[in-house]
Every structure is written in C-alpha cells, then in structure tokens.
Amino acid sequence: MNVIKLQRKYPQFDQNEIFQLSNAFQNMDVDDKGYIDEATVIKATQNSERQPYDVVRQALKEVELDSSRRVELDDYVDLISKLRTPSQAQKSMATGPTRSRGLSNAQLQGQQPSPGHASKGSVGGGQSTGGGRIHVGGATSSSQHTINEDEREEFTRHINAVLAGDADIGNKLPFPTDTFEMFDECKDGLVLAKLINDSVPDTIDERVLNRPGKKIKTLNAFHMTENNNIVIESAKGIGCSVVNIGSGDIIEVKEHLILGLIWQIIRRGLLGKIDIRLHPELYRLLEDDETLEQFLRLPAEQILLRWFNYHLKNAKWHRTVSNFSSDVKDGENYTVLLNQLKPEICSRSPLQTNDLMQRAEQVLDNADKLDCRKFLTPKSLVAGNPKLNLAFVANLFNTHPGLEPITEEEKADIEDFDAEGEREARVFTLWLNSLDVQPTVVSFFDDLRDGTILLQAYDKVIPGSVQWRHANKRPANGNELMRFKAVENTNYAVEIGKQNRFSLVGIQGADITDGQRTLTLGLVWQLMRKDIVNTLGALAQRMGKREISDADMVAWANGMSKKGGKSSAIRSFKDSTLGNGIFLLDVLNGMKSSYVDYDMVASGRNDDEAYANAKLAISIARKMGATIWLVPEDICNVRSRLIVTFIGSLMATAEKMGV
C-alpha cells in the first residue's frame, strides 16, 4: 500500500509521519519480505512509542491480522494509530496492578528498566481485578478467563531458573515476571518442550524439535504445530490432563490454557520426586499397622501432608495440616516445620510477629536460608494459594526431607516390595485418566477395586454398554463402598466384557475387588485395546473386517516399513527385534519419510543405542500427533501389549494424515 493510500486510510497522520512509519517498518523488515513477525513488532514498538510490553501487545491484538499473524505495513500503521489513541483495555494495562512487582534484570543491575520491563508493570492481554486476579481473552465476559497473577510470576521465575543457559532458548531469558512475554515465547513449543524435559528428563528427544538454525531460518505455523504436537502428546505421556488444549491454543497464545499446562508440568516434576525409590527414608512415614503397599497408594499430595505432620508431631507442635491453603496461610506451621528441619538457622521467632504479612516475610527469609525460597511470596502465602503452597512444600521436601536413613532390615522390606505389573499399570492409568474418569486414578489396582472406574471406562469406550441403574455409586460422604456392593460392580464389569467378546475365562468380580494384579491388568488391557480398535473402525470397514486384529496391525506395520523402502519386518508383537527400536522408526519413515533422519538412528547393538532409538521413535510419533503412552524402556523390553498401543496409535494417526 503506497503512502497516499495509507494517508487516506489514516488521516490522523500527515504525509511526513507516514514516511517515517514506512521507514521504521522497512528497518524492521531486514529481509525485505514485506512483513514482520509479532514479536519483532512488539519489541521495536516498545522502544519507539515508549510503551510497556503488554500495552503494545494488547494494541496489536486489536489490529485485525490475517491467519498467518504476519504484520504488514498497513497493520503496523494501524498498530501505531491504536497506540496513540488507546483503548480502555490499553489504559487499564498501562495503569497495571497497584501491588509491587519483582525487580527486572535491568533493575537488579542498577539500570533503568526498558519500557517493556516497567516496574509498575502491565498485565498483558488482560485487566487486573485486584487480589492478583487478571482477566484475559476476548472483549466480552463470556470469552474472558481469569488467571492468577502470583502464579504467572512464580512460574515465570521457575522457567527462568531451570532453563537458564539452554542452547536453544537461553538467549531469550530471563523473561520479565511482570509482563506476558513468557506466554508469547511459548507459542513455538520450544519453551514448553524444554520445561517438560526439565520436569521429567528424557521425555522428549530434542533432536526432533524444529528450531531456528541452518535448516530452518524462521519457524512458521507448520513448524510450531509440529513442536506443539510433541508438547501436548508428551504432556499426556507424563500424566498431565490436556483434554481442553491443543496445538492451536498454544500458537494462538491462550494464556489461561498455557498457564494451566505449565502448572501441570511443574507439578509433575515436583511430585514425581516423592518416590520411595528416590527417597527410601519415606519408609519413616508409615503409621502403625500400615503396610508399605497401603502407604504407596496415597497420592503424592497426601504423602507430602503426612511428611509435614510427621515433623510437626516430632516438634511437639499442637497443630496439624490437612491442606495447602487455610492450614498454612498464617505461617505458624511453616515456622515450626522449618525450625524442625534446621533449628540451628531457622528460629521460631516469626511466631512472635502478629502482622501476617510480616510473619510471612520472616518465614520466607528462613526458607531462603535453606535455599528454598521458591514459588511463594508473602502475599500468596497469606492468601493461601494452594498451587504455590503445594509447590513450595514439595520443593522443600525434595531439598530437605529431614528423615533418618533407613536400616538394612527396612531396606530389605522396600526391595522386596512386589512391583508386579507396575509398567503396564502406569500406561493403563494414563489411558484411564485420559478418558476423564472421576475421581482421577492414582493407585491403579486400589482405585479399580470397587468397579466404579471400570464402569465409567466401559461407558466411554462402548457407549450405552452400562445400565447405570445396575451400578452402585460411591457414597457422597467419601467413604468406600461396602465389599458386597463393590463385588456387584466388578461382577457387572466382567459381565459387560464378556458381552463384548473379551477373553475373561476364570475372572470373577471378586478378583478385581481383591486386587489380583494379573487379572485386573488383563481386563483393563482388553478394554484399552477395544478403544484402540474403535478408532480404526473406518480402516476395518475398508478391509471388510468387523474389527482390526493383532495380525492386521502386524501386516500394516510391515507394509509401512516396506513402503518406506526398508526391509525390516516382524512376525508378532513379541518379536525380540522390536527391542532395538529400528523397526518402529522404519514404520514411521513409511508414514512420512521426512520425519526420520537416519543419521540420528543408532545400530541398536547395545542398551544405550536401543534406548536412544526408542526415545527417538516416541518423539517422532508425537510430532505426527500420535498419542503415545509408553516409555522407551517398554520398547526395549518388548512389552508386547504396550507396543500394540504404539502401533495402534500410529495406524489411527496415518488415517488422519491420509497415508
């Protein structure tokens, strides 16, 4: 669009100003492409217009960009026009919350902050409502969502800390904690992928990620979608609930969804370390007449509360905690806990302070002496924010458990603990939770004993199969079902399975209620396999079959390997050659050859090479958008049932891709 047309469209600018804006745009468009990306525009406009990051960000949201989200000259002039006649949304963000902010990096170094790091802050994409709540989203109340400002700030700090120095994104850090820049930087998937690997190492093979470099100069929407496919599917694979978020939501920077995903990833990393294999001294928390198996059924949050109360009891303190909100918000229990963990440096003097905010600051000063001042601020402590308090306590446990080492006799008890079926149980737990069963499955064998979860799963996988008037529901008061009612449910679950041609010879409901592991795994496996087969219904119809069999899956996989020009093949899902991961990579290559770089594929002659191939195969499958529940060890150990789920998911993905 030439200068004359621009001036007609934006009469508030004289011809000289239009020339200046055009020159400014050309200076940003260094490659002379005729457009620039949003991030470049925001950063440059911050300086030229002397506006905070989030004000410019909001103004750009008000510009009607096309689906590519590229900013052309006309869009840039429109942006400047909107900034110079600001909307109410921009004005409210320029004012920002009245409470104090964390210092930016520039301030810490004694420099004046840039406009985007203004100490008074802005609330990017939303309006502060006081009390740390921010509205984000659309212009109408129905399209708006609320996020917690304390959580945004603390999770941003966490990302800055754990990803500092990263080879791919370290140059972008630290993100300001008082703007929404972190959310914008999540859109290409790299920050979230790195965060997943920090929380659960080795989840993603980072060689598969699309990154700017020699091969790709700038990531486009397709590259970002592939990265975010990996993020979404990997998050599922580590146990995050991602029912309501997709790749497009991340690319479109839906802040409330991204913040929720970030919390789940951080939470998974913190609580995943509360494991008796990592901390055998957790044995100390067993109560009288409680078995190790009973203890390990507890959710990680309950184990944390048990740990907290263990120390309060040893400190002869009169209070206990049953939550991470109201029971900790006055700071008293934290004071006693920290004193019990390190009495020589953490005193109980905060108990003498009446002002709750001052006491909270003193509590966090004590935590700082243990290098554990993380996730909480005085305000979020006093507010009783359950997420941030949980994160604070989990980090404290992971750093200073304060439990006596176990004896050799106790160590033998832990080593003898029966872990039969734990690998399959982990995958089946993730799958059941992906169906959104309620309550969430935590302890697989225990949570299935009363049949209510199984019946919900049947109803999701085979709609209409459950007549709910025949089912016994859990009491509203939270108590367990009486045994005879639980057995009625599990008998009903077995009956439904038989009606749907499951092989359940010798299985009775009482076996499920009694926690018989092999039989429980067998039933759930057949239900999961039914779910896989259901997704392949159209393919079965084309093949003239009622449903896809294991033999059909093997034939499909062999055919896909051959299609990619490879000679590898298997006879069954128990074939030992599956263990080196190469066949699965050949199948993926047949689906889309550009996804498998054979320079990355090892020979698979030793355990390390086989593991690397398996991890690579899982990440490539997720890049295609496949939902993969297993982990590399499952492939290396040729766990046939779990490999069936891998191939079944690839078949479903191939159907969507039209392969």
Side-chain angles (χ1 to χ4, degrees):
M1 186 176 288
N2 62 36
V3 172
I4 295 175
K5 287 184 178 179
L6 279 173
Q7 192 177 9
R8 286 175 182 168
K9 187 173 182 179
Y10 301 100
Q12 64 269 44
F13 297 121
D14 61 32
Q15 194 174 77
N16 186 49
E17 287 176 308
I18 293 292
F19 272 119
Q20 289 176 349
L21 293 174
S22 179
N23 288 335
F25 181 86
Q26 289 173 3
N27 289 336
M28 288 184 278
D29 183 17
V30 291
D31 295 325
D32 199 25
K33 294 180 293 188
Y35 62 84
I36 42 184
D37 63 81
E38 291 176 283
T40 300
V41 171
I42 293 174
K43 290 292 181 66
T45 306
Q46 271 185 269
N47 296 323
S48 65
E49 296 297 305
R50 298 188 177 278
Q51 291 283 1
Y53 180 94
D54 290 341
V55 172
V56 180
R57 182 178 187 266
Q58 174 60 31
L60 188 56
K61 282 188 173 186
E62 296 167 9
V63 175
E64 293 185 10
L65 302 179
D66 62 25
S67 58
S68 71
R69 304 301 298 171
R70 293 169 174 171
V71 180
E72 299 179 359
L73 175 58
D74 185 17
D75 303 317
Y76 176 64
V77 175
D78 194 15
L79 168 65
I80 302 302
S81 171
K82 285 178 165 50
L83 279 169
R84 294 184 184 179
T85 54
S87 64
Q88 189 58 44
Q90 291 178 51
K91 290 177 181 178
S92 64
M93 284 184 287
T95 304
T98 56
R99 66 192 184 84
S100 62
R101 302 278 187 157
L103 295 177
S104 69
N105 194 46
Q107 288 169 297
L108 288 171
Q109 296 172 358
Q111 301 170 357
Q112 288 297 315
S114 69
H117 297 207
S119 59
K120 68 180 179 182
S122 53
V123 294
Q127 179 178 353
S128 175
T129 59
R133 311 301 295 182
I134 305 171
H135 285 313
V136 296
T140 63
S141 58
S142 61
S143 62
Q144 287 188 341
H145 301 273
T146 303
I147 67 171
N148 183 285
E149 188 184 10
D150 290 325
E151 292 169 11
R152 181 195 70 177
E153 290 186 5
E154 294 307 314
F155 297 162
T156 302
R157 285 195 179 94
H158 176 78
I159 289 171
N160 287 340
V162 300
L163 300 185
D166 181 87
D168 297 313
I169 62 171
N171 62 310
K172 298 180 179 181
L173 301 173
F175 299 132
T177 60
D178 56 357
T179 78
F180 271 37
E181 184 176 341
M182 179 271 290
F183 291 90
D184 294 333
E185 293 293 350
C186 283
K187 69 187 296 183
D188 65 10
L190 291 176
V191 170
L192 294 173
K194 302 282 186 174
L195 185 62
I196 287 173
N197 268 356
D198 174 74
S199 286
V200 185
D202 268 357
T203 298
I204 296 172
D205 190 325
E206 294 187 8
R207 296 175 296 173
V208 175
L209 294 170
N210 297 317
R211 291 168 284 194
K214 293 180 180 178
K215 291 184 178 179
I216 305 173
K217 187 169 184 180
T218 305
L219 298 186
N220 59 31
F222 181 71
H223 296 134
M224 293 181 188
T225 297
E226 290 182 332
N227 282 351
N228 285 313
N229 282 343
I230 297 173
V231 167
I232 295 295
E233 298 303 336
S234 297
K236 288 181 186 176
I238 63 172
C240 298
S241 174
V242 290
V243 176
N244 296 315
I245 181 171
S247 299
D249 297 314
I250 299 174
I251 294 173
E252 293 170 15
V253 194
K254 293 185 178 178
E255 298 94 342
H256 66 293
L257 295 178
I258 293 174
L259 189 69
L261 179 59
I262 287 172
W263 162 239
Q264 289 196 69
I265 295 168
I266 293 174
R267 178 181 177 277
R268 172 64 178 82
L270 290 169
L271 299 187
K273 297 180 178 70
I274 303 170
D275 187 322
I276 201 156
R277 289 166 295 186
L278 299 176
H279 292 284
E281 64 273 19
L282 281 169
Y283 190 86
R284 293 269 168 263
L285 303 183
L286 267 68
E287 295 179 343
D288 294 341
D289 300 324
E290 183 179 38
T291 66
L292 180 60
E293 185 174 7
Q294 289 171 329
F295 173 72
L296 294 179
R297 289 176 192 162
L298 295 173
E301 294 95 325
Q302 292 299 317
I303 293 177
L304 267 185
L305 290 171
R306 177 84 66 90
W307 170 77
F308 202 145
N309 286 321
Y310 173 88
H311 284 299
L312 294 181
K313 181 179 179 181
N314 286 348
K316 296 181 171 50
W317 183 240
H318 63 283
R319 293 178 59 184
T320 59
V321 293
S322 60
N323 57 63
F324 295 101
S325 183
S326 58
D327 286 352
V328 295
K329 63 195 299 184
D330 65 6
E332 288 187 357
N333 288 321
Y334 277 147
T335 298
V336 176
L337 173 63
L338 292 166
N339 172 254
Q340 183 67 14
L341 291 173
K342 289 289 180 180
E344 64 275 16
I345 57 175
C346 297
S347 76
R348 291 195 182 190
S349 60
L351 296 177
Q352 310 306 316
T353 302
N354 293 324
D355 183 274
L356 291 183
M357 286 294 287
Q358 290 181 15
R359 182 189 296 164
E361 179 58 44
Q362 292 168 353
V363 166
L364 295 178
D365 282 344
N366 274 342
D368 197 25
K369 295 171 184 175
L370 303 182
D371 291 326
C372 288
R373 182 167 183 155
K374 190 172 183 181
F375 295 114
L376 274 183
T377 61
K379 188 156 190 174
S380 56
L381 192 162
V382 172
N385 184 299
K387 292 178 184 175
L388 297 179
N389 277 289
L390 170 62
F392 175 80
V393 175
N395 182 60
L396 188 59
F397 168 82
N398 290 329
T399 312
H400 297 282
L403 299 171
E404 291 183 19
I406 59 173
T407 65
E408 288 300 316
E409 182 181 351
E410 292 165 336
K411 186 177 181 182
D413 288 343
I414 293 173
E415 290 175 346
D416 289 342
F417 175 66
D418 180 14
E420 176 197 352
E422 288 298 330
R423 282 286 183 190
E424 288 189 337
R426 173 196 168 276
V427 170
F428 296 164
T429 296
L430 292 172
W431 171 72
L432 285 169
N433 287 334
S434 76
L435 299 177
D436 199 26
V437 295
Q438 296 298 327
T440 299
V441 178
V442 176
S443 176
F444 179 78
F445 299 103
D446 192 52
D447 291 347
L448 267 57
R449 288 175 187 266
D450 68 7
T452 57
I453 297 292
L454 283 173
L455 293 175
Q456 288 180 62
Y458 270 120
D459 201 38
K460 303 270 187 177
V461 174
I462 312 170
S465 62
V466 179
Q467 301 299 315
W468 286 104
R469 66 179 182 275
H470 296 156
N472 299 310
K473 296 182 180 179
R474 291 178 178 175
N477 61 9
N479 290 339
E480 294 183 357
L481 275 176
M482 296 178 67
R483 176 179 167 79
F484 81 91
K485 289 191 174 183
V487 172
E488 285 180 348
N489 280 350
T490 50
N491 277 334
Y492 187 26
V494 172
E495 179 188 332
I496 295 172
K498 289 178 178 178
Q499 291 170 1
N500 286 276
R501 302 185 182 185
F502 289 9
S503 176
L504 299 173
V505 178
I507 299 181
Q508 297 180 342
D511 296 321
I512 310 297
T513 301
D514 292 338
Q516 293 288 336
R517 293 188 169 214
T518 302
L519 300 180
T520 303
L521 289 168
L523 172 59
V524 177
W525 158 240
Q526 292 184 74
L527 187 53
M528 183 177 183
R529 192 187 181 288
K530 179 68 174 176
D531 189 33
I532 294 169
V533 167
N534 286 350
T535 65
L536 301 173
L539 177 60
Q541 199 171 31
R542 288 203 306 274
M543 295 171 65
K545 298 198 171 190
R546 185 174 179 275
E547 63 179 35
I548 299 293
S549 66
D550 281 11
D552 295 326
M553 291 187 185
V554 168
W556 177 88
N558 287 336
M560 200 56 68
S561 172
K562 185 176 180 180
K563 179 183 175 183
K566 301 298 178 180
S567 59
S568 63
I570 59 171
R571 294 181 179 180
S572 75
F573 290 116
K574 295 181 179 179
D575 197 313
S576 61
T577 60
L578 284 163
N580 65 20
I582 293 175
F583 175 73
L584 298 179
L585 288 164
D586 289 345
V587 173
L588 291 162
N589 176 66
M591 292 173 66
K592 196 161 187 176
S593 59
S594 61
Y595 274 42
V596 182
D597 180 352
Y598 278 91
D599 289 340
M600 297 181 184
V601 180
S603 64
R605 292 192 185 97
N606 57 49
D607 291 346
D608 288 343
E609 289 186 350
Y611 182 92
N613 286 344
K615 185 170 76 167
L616 182 63
I618 290 170
S619 291
I620 291 173
R622 287 171 172 163
K623 187 174 185 176
M624 291 181 179
T627 298
I628 305 297
W629 302 114
L630 47 61
V631 294
E633 291 89 345
D634 298 326
I635 294 173
C636 296
N637 294 326
V638 193
R639 292 191 170 90
S640 58
R641 287 176 175 173
L642 304 187
I643 292 176
V644 170
T645 70
F646 186 94
I647 294 297
S649 184
L650 292 191
M651 292 177 74
T653 302
E655 284 288 287
K656 293 177 185 176
M657 294 168 60
V659 176

